[in-house]
Amino acid sequence: MNAPTKIDTSAEALMATAIRVLTMDAVQAANSGHPGMPMGMADVAAVLFNRFMQIDPSCPKWADRDRFVLSAGHGSMLVYSINHMLGYADMDMDQIRSFRQWGARTAGHPEYGHADGIETTTGPLGQGITTAVGMALAERMHNARFGDDLVDHYTYVIAGDGCLMEGISHEAIDMAGHWALGRMIVLWDDNKITIDGSTELSTSVDQKARFAAAGWHVQEVDGHDREAVAAAIEAAKKDPRPSLIDCKTVIGQGAPNKAGSHKVHGAPLGAEEIAATRTALGWAHEAFTLPKEVYAAWQAVAARGREAREGWEARLLCNEHGGAFEKSLAGPDKAAMAEAITAYKQQLSADAPKVATRKASEMALAVVNATLPNAIGGSADLTGSNLTLTKGMSPVSKDNYGGNYIHYGIREFGMSAAMNGIALHGGFFPYGGTFLVFADYARPAIRLSALMGLPVAYVMTHDSIGLGEDGPTHQPVEHLASLRAMPNLNVFRPADVVETAEAWEIAATSEKTPSLLALSRQNLPCLRTEHRTENLTAKGAYVLREPEGGRDVTLIATGSEVEIAMTAADELARQDVRAAVVSAPCFELFAAQDEAYRASVLGDAPRVGVEAAVEQGWSPLLGARSAFVGMTGFGASAPADDLYKHFGITAEAVAAAAKKLIR
Ligand SMILES: Cc1ncc(C[n+]2csc(CCOP(=O)(O)OP(=O)(O)O)c2C)c(N)n1
Ligand SMILES: [Mg+2]
C-alpha cells in the first residue's frame, strides 16, 4: 500500500533502497531484529550521508568528523548497512550476514567499540539523544579552546517516538536548548508507531511545541521526500539553535503489505513479503549482493570525507595550537598525576586534617584540575553540597563554551548521559556530582559508562545515614550494593582525606573504567598519618592496622565506618583481643588483586564487616566465621550520631560482634 508508484532510480534512491534490502535480508537471516525503523528512515539517512555527513571510514576516529547517533538503537541495521557500504574495513558483508550472531560485530543494538563508526552504544531509548547533547556540547567546548580550523563539526541524531517519550528526552532537550547547541540536529522518525501499535495509544504530546518551548528550531518534512529532507537539514545547519526535523515517515517503507504497521517494528518480514518488497522496489539482486553503482555512490561519501580529513590534517600541522589539541585527545598524563597526588598526600599525612570526604574530594580536585587542564566539572544542582567546583573554574554557558564547570540542573540522568557524550567526543575528562541516593536517577547512564568503558567520574556525596537530618529519602542504604553489582564500575568509598586523594588519582587516570566516589557529609579523622608513596586505594583493600602477635579478629570497614572499626580495635585491645583493621575503599580493585595479596589482607581470623549500608555484596570479604554490622532497613531523620547509635553501628557493637565470634 505504501510502495512508491514510480520507481526512482537515481543514485541517492538506490542508496536508500540498499539500506532497506540489506536490513530486511539480515533480519530475515538472523530471524530476529528490527526492520521497520531502518526501512522507514532509509531515505532520510541516505540524504544525510550523501549530502552532509563528513566522515572518513579509513580514519574512523578523525577528531573533526561529524557524529552520527542512532538513538533509536533497535534500528541497528541502519548503521551496519550504511557502514558496510561506506567501506569501513571491519564491516564486510560477512558481518551483515551474521547480524546478531555470536562473535559478529553486528550486535543486536549498536555497541560502542564493537565496530568502527559506532559513536555510542544505543538501545536504551532516550539515552542516545542525551549522549549526543554531551557530544554537541563537547564540540563547542573544544571549539572554544582550539578554534574553527580544528573543531567544526555537527552532531546528527536519529530518534524515534520511543526516544522522545522517555523522560530523559526532556532533560536532553532542555539542556541542548539552554546551551544553544546549534550544531545538534535531531531527525525524528515520526512514524506514529511503537511496539504496542499506534502512538495514539500512549501519547498526545505536541512534540514540536515541546522542542520549540525549549528553544529549538523546529521543522516538519515528508521523510520520504529527499529534496525536502535536504532542504530541512540545510536550514537546520544555518539556524543557530539546535534543530528538530520532524520526519513524517512510514515504518517499514518499501514493504508493500506490512509497511505502516507495528508488525514490521521488530520481526522479520518473512520470505513472501521480502519477495514482494524486492518487486515493489524494483530490486533484482540476491540477498547480500549489491550492485557496483550502489557501492560507488556510498563510497563517494567516503571519498568526500577523506578529502575533508586530509584538508583538516594539513591545517592541524600548521596550527599553533596543534600540539595542545593532540594532547587534549591523548590519554591522561599518569606520571604527572601520580607526582602531584603523592606530593599532596605527603602534606595531608603531615597535617592530618579532619574533614568530610566530600571536602577531601574538593581538596583533591584542586590538585586533579590543576594537573589535568581538560577536566570538566559539574553537578546536578548540588555544587555547594557535592563540592565539585574548584577555584578558578568558570561556568560553561552558551556565551562561554570556554568554561569548565557545567551546571547540569536537576537532571541526574541527563548529566550522566551527557558526561558519557563528552567522554565519547574526546578532549575532556568529565566528572559530575549529586547525592549518592540519586545514583538511582542516573543509573541507566552509569551503566552505559560501564558498558562502554568510559573514563567518567561520579561524585556522589551524602553517602549514608551519616547525612543525618534529611532523613530516609536521602539516606542511601542499598546503593553501594547495587552499584557494586554493576560490572566495570569502580565504586570508591574512601575513609579519609588521603584515601580520597588516592581514589581521585585512580578516577582521573582511568582509561576504560568509570569511577564512582561515595563521599561523606560528616567529618572524618585522617587515619593515614604515615605517608606512603604507594596508592593503597589502588589495591582495593589493605591492612590499616595490624596487631602484634597475630590476629584474633579482622575488622573490615569502608568510608566513615573505618573510624568506628579503629575505635573498636582500641576497645578490643584493652580487652586483650588482637584486632586487625582493614580499610576496603574499592571492592572491585580488591577483587582484581592476586590471591596471595587478598589472603594476606583478609587473614585467617574471623571477620567483622562494618558499613552503614546493607550487607549484600560483602560475602567475598567475609568468610564462614563472620559478622556484619550495618543497616537492614531504611534510615531515619535525626542527627547522625543518634542514627548510628539507634541502628547499632558503633564501636561497641563492632567489638561485641568480634568477641562473640572468637568466643
Ligand atoms: C528504555 C527502553 N525501554 C524499552 C525499550 C524496548 N523497546 C525497543 S523499541 C521500542 C519501541 C520504540 O518505538 P519507536 O521509537 O517509535 O520505534 P519504531 O517502532 O518506530 O521503530 C521499545 C519499547 C528500549 N529499547 N528501551
Ligand atoms: Mg515509532
Side-chain angles (χ1 to χ4, degrees), residues 382-394:
L382 287 169
T383 295
S385 298
N386 302 146
L387 302 178
T388 33
L389 178 72
T390 62
K391 229 175 149 178
M393 287 186 125
S394 73

Side-chain angles (χ1 to χ4, degrees), residues 70-89:
L70 184 70
S71 192
H74 56 281
S76 55
M77 267 311 302
L78 183 92
V79 179
Y80 302 146
S81 50
I82 288 174
N83 287 0
H84 166 68
M85 295 186 287
L86 283 169
Y88 279 90

Side-chain angles (χ1 to χ4, degrees), residues 602-656:
L602 296 175
D604 298 324
R607 300 170 200 157
V608 181
V610 197
E611 187 171 65
V614 297
E615 183 179 351
Q616 195 175 346
W618 268 80
S619 54
L621 296 187
L622 302 177
R625 281 188 305 154
S626 66
F628 182 76
V629 175
M631 297 290 290
T632 52
F634 292 117
S637 172
D641 286 349
D642 294 348
L643 291 173
Y644 271 88
K645 273 190 210 102
H646 174 83
F647 290 109
I649 306 174
T650 59
E652 298 76 54
V654 173

Side-chain angles (χ1 to χ4, degrees), residues 31-173:
N31 199 23
S32 82
H34 301 79
M37 189 261 131
M39 293 180 78
M41 283 299 275
D43 298 309
V44 172
V47 170
L48 173 65
F49 278 81
N50 192 33
R51 306 194 201 185
F52 298 97
M53 281 295 288
Q54 293 283 29
I55 42 164
D56 178 3
S58 72
C59 185
K61 290 283 178 194
W62 167 35
D64 200 29
R65 68 192 182 280
D66 286 339
R67 306 300 198 269
F68 173 68
V69 173
L70 184 70
S71 192
H74 56 281
S76 55
M77 267 311 302
L78 183 92
V79 179
Y80 302 146
S81 50
I82 288 174
N83 287 0
H84 166 68
M85 295 186 287
L86 283 169
Y88 279 90
D90 64 355
M91 194 54 68
D92 59 20
M93 194 59 100
D94 283 344
Q95 291 295 331
I96 306 294
R97 249 191 225 109
S98 48
F99 176 49
R100 292 183 155 233
Q101 305 309 305
W102 176 258
R105 294 191 183 91
T106 43
H109 293 81
E111 301 283 349
Y112 175 71
H114 286 214
D116 291 334
I118 295 172
E119 300 286 2
T120 178
T121 291
T122 52
L125 298 174
Q127 278 204 66
I129 186 174
T130 318
T131 304
V133 170
M135 293 180 185
L137 180 63
E139 192 271 346
R140 284 296 84 192
M141 294 194 299
H142 220 205
N143 172 276
R145 286 153 176 81
F146 298 105
D148 292 344
D149 263 2
L150 298 185
V151 187
D152 178 22
H153 53 268
Y154 283 79
T155 303
Y156 296 100
V157 179
I158 287 184
D161 302 305
C163 290
L164 301 195
M165 273 193 224
E166 288 289 351
I168 190 180
S169 73
H170 182 78
E171 302 181 21
I173 294 166

Side-chain angles (χ1 to χ4, degrees), residues 160-162 189-194 199 251 265:
D161 302 305
D189 179 18
D190 181 9
N191 59 19
K192 301 214 160 4
I193 292 286
T194 64
T199 51
I251 190 167
H265 161 91

Side-chain angles (χ1 to χ4, degrees), residues 397-615:
S397 73
K398 66 177 183 327
D399 304 313
N400 181 31
Y401 295 118
N404 53 2
Y405 190 83
I406 302 178
H407 293 280
Y408 286 101
I410 305 102
R411 304 184 188 97
E412 298 79 13
F413 192 5
M415 168 177 78
S416 307
M419 289 202 292
N420 286 341
I422 293 170
L424 285 163
H425 178 276
F428 301 104
F429 163 61
Y431 69 85
T434 184
F435 290 150
L436 180 61
V437 81
F438 302 131
D440 286 342
Y441 277 51
R443 188 177 179 92
I446 300 175
R447 187 167 191 272
L448 283 196
S449 311
L451 180 61
M452 289 193 269
L454 301 178
V456 170
Y458 295 93
V459 184
M460 304 240 158
T461 67
H462 297 60
D463 70 346
S464 75
I465 52 166
L467 68 85
E469 294 83 347
D470 272 339
T473 56
H474 282 53
Q475 292 160 353
V477 170
E478 75 282 23
H479 297 73
L480 289 167
S482 82
L483 290 161
R484 286 173 184 147
M486 196 181 285
N488 195 38
L489 174 69
N490 283 337
V491 179
F492 294 97
R493 191 162 185 257
D496 74 349
V497 73
V498 176
E499 278 190 10
T500 307
E502 291 179 335
W504 265 116
E505 181 189 346
I506 300 161
T509 53
S510 174
E511 288 178 81
K512 297 239 175 271
T513 302
S515 305
L516 186 146
L517 285 79
L519 303 165
S520 76
R521 171 177 183 258
Q522 71 275 31
N523 286 343
L524 302 174
C526 178
L527 302 170
R528 291 271 298 280
T529 46
E530 188 190 320
H531 174 63
R532 293 279 299 274
T533 312
E534 189 183 8
N535 186 324
L536 296 178
T537 299
K539 300 230 168 232
Y542 61 92
V543 180
L544 184 63
R545 166 180 173 151
E546 187 74 70
E548 275 181 29
R551 299 180 188 182
D552 294 320
V553 65
T554 300
L555 311 179
I556 309 170
T558 79
S560 41
E561 286 70 70
V562 180
E563 176 190 11
I564 292 172
M566 290 291 268
T567 311
D570 287 340
E571 176 56 34
L572 287 165
R574 280 192 287 276
Q575 301 177 35
D576 287 332
V577 175
R578 293 164 302 178
V581 176
V582 168
S583 179
C586 183
F587 287 15
E588 298 78 18
L589 291 176
F590 187 58
Q593 303 305 310
D594 62 44
E595 180 69 44
Y597 176 76
R598 280 185 285 137
S600 75
V601 171
L602 296 175
D604 298 324
R607 300 170 200 157
V608 181
V610 197
E611 187 171 65
V614 297
E615 183 179 351

